[in-house]
Amino acid sequence: MLAVGALAVSCADYNVTDDFTAQPDPTFVEPYKDYGPVKSYIDRTKYPNLSLGATLRVTDFNKQDLAHSAAITNFDDVAFGNTLMSGAIVSEKGVMNFLDMSDLLDHVEEIGANVFGSPIAANANQADAWLNNLTAPIEIAVDPIEDKFVDYTTMEEFTGTIKRNGQGSNKVGIVKNYDGSDNALKVPKRARVYIVEGFDLEPKGLYTITFYAKVDNITTDETIICNFAGKTIQEGSGDKASDKKFPIKPDKWNKITLEDLSPAEDATEGFLMIEGNLNADVYIKTVSVVHNPDNHRPQTPQELNDTVHYALNTWCDGLMKINAGRIKSFDLIDEPIDSKSQLENGMYDLKHSTEKIFWQDVVGSENYAPAVARAARAAYAKYEGNPADLRFFISESGLDDPKKVESLKYWIGIWDANGAAIDGINAKLNLFYSEDNAVQAANVASLNQMLDNLAATGKLIRLSNFDIKYQDGEGTNVTAKEISAEQRQKLADYYGYVIKSYMNKIPHEKQAGICKGNLSDTTDPVGLWSVDPDSRDWVRTATYKAFCDALSGK
């Protein structure tokens, strides 16, 4: 009873951040219960810029449950991955839903916490539907085009396509003086005939076909089915769709107009075939084909540029209005480098696309970051933000590739020269600990080389997605359920090594911080906390201790 009481007091003291008490508490059990908040182990005098961050989902943070409590009490700032990017906020029509972000920032402001901003622009997780709508071809006025006119009243012989003829002597052909003066094309019962053909098709055009038809010697309407360029005209939709039957009243010429016709996808030539007259021969007098060409044109390069800048300014305006100066550090651009494409100078190119709207494809590669930075800075200043407080990072993965670091430095140099003023690099990690000594030695060497290369850029350096997965000697991931205490300690030791390497290799004034990817274990043992399978409480792991010891310099 006494032990429980003492623990409760300790937890309450531990979870107080300024005037805010985070609840519920992560569970404190031996052997790590006596450790304080992780962030309290940083020597702020020696490492004045070092910030310890945690990545959460917006929904988990706003629930103010265990993840929220652990993050607020142990870390300097929180980040929210792609959940605050335009793809999660802007609808197809450009409506921006900032409700979750507004709640989050109001709470953060209330408790005195800090947020590291999600990428403002990227190739993924963007408002693609909105961008596609904005950059869609422009509607223009067009005049109908006459494609073909067939006058059977003056024909002596039918030379068109017959897919199925009549029976016996009652076959497709021209009937002379059908109505006493003019000829007509006869389509016998059960025949299938192209009554017009041989005109070009415009895939995006919409066609109108008008023809005059007549039946004789029956007391009820006859009906026909029409097929335009390989597509039978139907009515209804889905499973209820059926071939549409066009009525022909007897003993009079019927004007039949088929509108908004489009060809089958694989059609190469235009035609109209009629069939389905089971009760009487059908006579055709004239057929007219016209089409309305595609009434859209692509936006000109200047129009496209103006449109994309409008979208960028609109997105930044909405983002910074909700922000109201509260988030001061952002990833300006996320993962811009394409390691599969090289420039003539040997550097990696930026990513490009022929299928989606990428900002850089419109504003230009050299103006990509400057354009985003100008829009973001202007909006930040417009809505209560002090531009002097604003910091921009470029986030990138795969920076264990030295050439990718060199290429990123090259592009940042171009962007800075054009006015972007990039403050730092946010290196997204993908780390493993291996029981294979040779593999682990290579992992360590790669890490150290990456940190040296990042330090040489002269920029602020932030490490994010800081999760380390554990692999056995065969290269198979060891899960959180399977990992032993001994293996967990080896993993924790490597966490500590990474932290100390960062603190030693990156100049103190350039240390923008380290951001943990997952606070608790997933299927992998990546957490500072494991999750008790029965109570669902969060229990400190050896990694918690490793963080505290490494940050304190042990």
Side-chain angles (χ1 to χ4, degrees), residues 223-297:
T223 60
I224 58 173
I225 295 170
C226 299
N227 181 298
F228 174 71
K231 184 188 293 185
T232 298
I233 300 172
Q234 295 190 316
E235 56 187 347
S237 60
D239 295 337
K240 297 182 179 179
S242 60
D243 295 345
K244 184 174 183 179
K245 297 181 178 180
F246 294 89
I248 305 175
K249 295 184 181 297
D251 302 321
K252 61 178 287 188
W253 285 107
N254 293 255
K255 181 181 180 182
I256 299 177
T257 302
L258 313 176
E259 297 181 299
D260 296 331
L261 304 177
S262 59
E265 290 185 5
D266 58 350
T268 58
E269 187 176 19
F271 65 83
L272 181 75
M273 182 182 74
I274 67 170
E275 61 176 319
N277 48 312
L278 306 179
N279 304 305
D281 299 336
V282 174
Y283 296 88
I284 306 295
K285 184 165 60 171
T286 61
V287 186
S288 169
V289 182
V290 299
H291 82 277
N292 290 316
D294 183 13
N295 63 335
H296 297 86
R297 65 162 178 80

Side-chain angles (χ1 to χ4, degrees), residues 195-492:
I195 64 172
V196 64
E197 60 183 308
F199 54 92
D200 294 331
L201 292 171
E202 183 179 336
K204 293 185 178 181
L206 293 177
Y207 288 76
T208 298
I209 298 183
T210 304
F211 62 96
Y212 287 85
K214 186 179 179 183
V215 293
D216 297 328
N217 302 321
I218 58 174
T219 57
T220 60
D221 294 355
E222 177 60 291
T223 60
I224 58 173
I225 295 170
C226 299
N227 181 298
F228 174 71
K231 184 188 293 185
T232 298
I233 300 172
Q234 295 190 316
E235 56 187 347
S237 60
D239 295 337
K240 297 182 179 179
S242 60
D243 295 345
K244 184 174 183 179
K245 297 181 178 180
F246 294 89
I248 305 175
K249 295 184 181 297
D251 302 321
K252 61 178 287 188
W253 285 107
N254 293 255
K255 181 181 180 182
I256 299 177
T257 302
L258 313 176
E259 297 181 299
D260 296 331
L261 304 177
S262 59
E265 290 185 5
D266 58 350
T268 58
E269 187 176 19
F271 65 83
L272 181 75
M273 182 182 74
I274 67 170
E275 61 176 319
N277 48 312
L278 306 179
N279 304 305
D281 299 336
V282 174
Y283 296 88
I284 306 295
K285 184 165 60 171
T286 61
V287 186
S288 169
V289 182
V290 299
H291 82 277
N292 290 316
D294 183 13
N295 63 335
H296 297 86
R297 65 162 178 80
Q299 294 187 29
T300 67
Q302 185 58 55
E303 288 169 339
L304 195 60
N305 189 282
D306 292 344
T307 299
V308 166
H309 273 93
Y310 161 79
L312 187 57
N313 288 328
T314 301
W315 160 238
C316 288
D317 190 83
L319 175 66
M320 295 306 180
K321 183 177 182 180
I322 289 295
N323 181 41
R326 291 175 287 192
I327 302 176
K328 296 176 174 60
S329 293
F330 288 87
D331 278 335
L332 185 71
I333 295 173
D334 184 47
E335 300 194 19
I337 305 298
D338 183 359
S339 58
K340 296 180 181 179
S341 179
Q342 290 189 17
L343 302 171
E344 291 183 357
N345 62 5
M347 295 294 104
Y348 290 142
D349 195 2
L350 301 186
K351 294 174 181 174
H352 300 282
S353 176
T354 58
E355 299 176 355
K356 295 169 59 177
I357 297 297
F358 280 7
W359 306 99
Q360 62 270 30
D361 290 340
V362 179
V363 303
S365 296
E366 295 187 354
N367 193 45
Y368 181 21
V372 180
R374 281 192 296 270
R377 279 199 185 92
Y380 187 80
K382 179 179 177 182
Y383 296 109
E384 303 179 37
N386 180 359
D389 296 335
L390 191 58
R391 298 194 305 178
F392 288 143
F393 290 74
I394 305 296
S395 55
E396 186 57 85
S397 60
L399 294 178
D400 51 334
D401 175 0
K403 186 172 177 179
K404 200 167 189 181
V405 178
E406 186 182 4
S407 299
L408 180 58
K409 181 180 178 180
Y410 164 78
W411 280 108
I412 289 177
I414 289 177
W415 293 334
D416 280 347
N418 288 337
I422 306 298
D423 296 284
I425 295 171
N426 185 9
K428 300 165 77 170
L429 303 178
N430 183 30
L431 300 179
F432 294 87
Y433 175 86
S434 175
E435 290 182 347
D436 184 303
N437 291 334
V439 172
Q440 183 56 19
N443 289 341
V444 171
S446 177
L447 168 72
N448 288 329
Q449 183 64 63
M450 180 189 71
L451 291 173
D452 288 338
N453 291 339
L454 289 172
T457 66
K459 295 292 185 179
L460 293 172
I461 302 300
R462 182 177 187 263
L463 304 183
S464 63
N465 194 39
F466 184 30
D467 288 344
I468 305 177
K469 297 179 181 179
Y470 192 100
Q471 294 182 335
D472 63 19
E474 303 301 319
T476 301
N477 284 10
V478 177
T479 68
K481 290 182 179 180
E482 298 168 337
I483 195 166
S484 67
E486 181 182 1
Q487 289 172 320
R488 178 79 81 165
Q489 187 59 57
K490 291 178 180 178
L491 179 62

